[in-house]
Amino acid sequence: KQEVTQIPAALSVPEGENLVLNCSFTDSAIYNLQWFRQDPGKGLTSLLLIQSSQREQTSGRLNASLDKSSGRSTLYIAASQPGDSATYLCAVPPSGTYKYIFGTGTRLKVLA
Amino acid sequence: DTAVSQTPKYLVTQMGNDKSIKCEQNLGHDTMYWYKQDSKKFLKIMFSYNNKELIINETVPNRFSPKSPDKAHLNLHINSLELGDSAVYFCASSQVRGNLNTEAFFGQGTRLTVV
C-alpha cells in the first residue's frame, strides 16, 4: 500500500532563503509525481509534474527532483518570497490505479 | 477559462438533508475524481471515474453517490447528511493513457458544513 510522507510538516524562513521540501513514498511503481500548492481556503494549484522516467523538472524559481529507486522527491524553492507562503503537497498516482495518493503537506511561511 | 469548476463553493445545510455538488472539466480528460479534505487538511480519494465508468470507490458510505452523465461531468450526491460529512470536497481530472497519467487539475473545492 502506497504511503506518502512529507517532511517537515511546517517551515518558517526569512525572505530570500533557498529551501528544500521533502516527499517520500513507499512504492516506486508510480506513473509520475506531482507537486501542488494550496493557499488557505483555496483549491490546489499544480506546480510541477515529473514523469516516472524523468529525474527533474524546473519552473521559474522551482525545481523538483525525483529518485524513484529511493522513493524520494524534493522541491527546491530559490530566493523565497512572502508570496510563496502556502501548503505544499506532493502526490503520486500508483501505476495501474486511477487515483492520486497525497502526502501530509508542508506548511511554509516566508517572513518579510 | 476555468479548467475544473465546481459548484457551489460553499454549502451549509442541516443534518438529514440531501445535497449535490457539481463538477465540470473542459480539458478533454477521460478520468475524473472526487477527493475529501478533512479538518487536518489531509486529502483522500473517494471516487474515480474513467470514461464515465466507476473505477474506484474507496470505502465511501453508500449515502454518497457519484454520477457521471458524460466524460466532462462528475457530480456528487449526498443523502442524509451527517455532521461528520463536513469537509472540503475537491473534484479533479486527468488523462490516463496506457502507462501514463497526465497532470491532474483540481477544482477550487466545495466547503460543506453540516449543522
Side-chain angles (χ1 to χ4, degrees), chain A residues 15-36:
Chain A
E15 183 177 5
E17 273 205 9
N18 302 326
L19 53 100
V20 174
L21 307 181
N22 297 291
C23 172
S24 301
F25 47 96
T26 54
D27 187 342
S28 62
I30 59 172
Y31 281 122
N32 56 50
L33 186 142
Q34 197 165 350
W35 281 94
F36 294 88

Side-chain angles (χ1 to χ4, degrees), chain A residues 3-57:
Chain A
E3 291 183 6
V4 183
T5 307
Q6 290 185 245
I7 294 173
L11 185 60
S12 189
V13 299
E15 183 177 5
E17 273 205 9
N18 302 326
L19 53 100
V20 174
L21 307 181
N22 297 291
C23 172
S24 301
F25 47 96
T26 54
D27 187 342
S28 62
I30 59 172
Y31 281 122
N32 56 50
L33 186 142
Q34 197 165 350
W35 281 94
F36 294 88
R37 167 189 174 136
Q38 185 175 27
D39 293 281
K42 304 286 186 187
L44 278 71
T45 301
S46 178
L47 296 174
L48 286 165
L49 170 74
I50 313 177
Q51 295 293 350
S52 62
S53 57
Q54 297 175 316
R55 292 197 65 88
E56 68 178 90
Q57 279 286 342

Side-chain angles (χ1 to χ4, degrees), chain B residues 14-109:
Chain B
Q14 290 188 326
M15 276 197 317
N17 282 352
D18 303 338
K19 289 293 177 187
S20 292
I21 307 171
K22 295 187 176 182
C23 179
E24 176 181 4
Q25 54 97 2
N26 62 6
L27 299 164
H29 287 164
D30 63 359
T31 305
M32 294 185 72
Y33 312 83
W34 278 110
Y35 276 82
K36 179 179 180 180
Q37 187 171 44
D38 59 26
S39 56
K40 294 183 180 176
K41 308 299 182 189
F42 186 65
L43 275 154
K44 189 172 179 187
I45 182 78
M46 298 174 67
F47 300 103
S48 68
Y49 268 73
N50 176 257
N51 287 313
K52 301 194 299 175
E53 275 194 46
L54 177 65
I55 302 295
I56 287 178
N57 178 342
E58 200 88 338
T59 61
V60 178
N62 58 14
R63 296 183 296 104
F64 290 77
S65 52
K67 281 193 173 49
S68 182
D70 55 58
K71 286 200 304 184
H73 296 84
L74 180 61
N75 304 322
L76 184 64
H77 188 76
I78 315 170
N79 290 327
S80 304
L81 278 155
E82 300 176 358
L83 292 176
D85 297 332
S86 296
V88 182
Y89 293 84
F90 285 99
C91 176
S93 75
S94 71
Q95 181 76 14
V96 180
R97 297 185 190 117
N99 288 330
L100 286 179
N101 194 338
T102 66
E103 188 175 8
F105 289 86
F106 280 71
Q108 80 277 20

